[in-house]
């Protein structure tokens, strides 16, 4: 169930890897900020496919039992391991007391720029 009144804001809200080669490893940071006015917990469900992985969550220094104070955030990294040059898609699920939402993750290469000379 998607809700628009999320308690934690994912930054970025969409993760895109748009330049990659086979067999390399690519990493992007992601954060989940508590945008509510009280301390809360959040549950992040990692990607389902083997091409993307979520690093262990790093909680704020004084966080106890996974509780995040207002304005504070949890940090993590998404790693992408492409096995081909095709497009990839997966998601992170962010679950809060107020509902859940999805953070899409794309592996999508820029299309090649093909140009033909005007005179052939």
């Amino acid at each position: 169930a998607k809700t628009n009144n999320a308690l934690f804001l994912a930054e970025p809200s969409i993760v895109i890897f748009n330049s990659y080669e086979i067999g390399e490893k690519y990493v992007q940071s992601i954060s989940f900020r508590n945008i509510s006015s009280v301390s809360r917990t959040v549950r992040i469900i990692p990607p389902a496919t083997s091409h993307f992985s979520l690093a262990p969550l790093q909680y704020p220094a004084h966080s106890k039992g996974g509780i995040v104070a207002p304005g504070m955030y949890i940090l993590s990294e998404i790693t992408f391991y492409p096995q081909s040059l095709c497009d990839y898609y997966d998601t992170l699920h962010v679950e809060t007391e107020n509902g859940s939402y999805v953070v899409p993750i794309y592996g999508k290469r820029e299309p090649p720029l093909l140009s033909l000379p005007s005179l052939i």
Side-chain angles (χ1 to χ4, degrees):
K2 181 175 173 30
T3 58
N4 291 331
N5 49 353
L7 303 172
F8 280 81
L9 181 67
E11 297 172 38
S13 58
I14 300 173
V15 178
I16 302 173
F17 295 88
N18 58 13
S19 171
Y20 52 89
E21 300 299 327
I22 298 170
E24 295 291 316
K25 177 174 114 173
Y26 301 90
V27 177
Q28 278 194 41
S29 295
I30 187 167
S31 68
F32 305 94
R33 183 180 302 275
N34 180 351
I35 57 173
S36 76
S37 57
V38 298
S39 296
R40 299 191 181 274
T41 60
V42 64
R43 185 168 168 225
I44 314 294
I45 298 174
T49 65
S50 60
H51 306 293
F52 298 102
S53 67
L54 183 68
L57 301 176
Q58 299 172 2
Y59 286 86
H62 303 292
S63 173
K64 293 197 178 6
I67 295 173
V68 181
M72 298 304 288
Y73 54 87
I74 300 166
L75 288 175
S76 188
E77 290 178 334
I78 297 172
T79 304
F80 176 42
Y81 304 97
Q83 300 301 310
S84 74
L85 296 179
C86 69
D87 290 350
Y88 293 90
Y89 174 75
D90 208 330
T91 57
L92 289 177
H93 290 270
V94 180
E95 296 184 346
T96 70
E97 301 154 43
N98 225 13
S100 63
Y101 66 94
V102 167
V103 176
I105 308 169
Y106 294 95
K108 193 174 177 69
R109 286 169 57 91
E110 295 292 320
L113 295 173
L114 304 176
S115 57
L116 295 172
S118 55
L119 234 56
I120 296 181

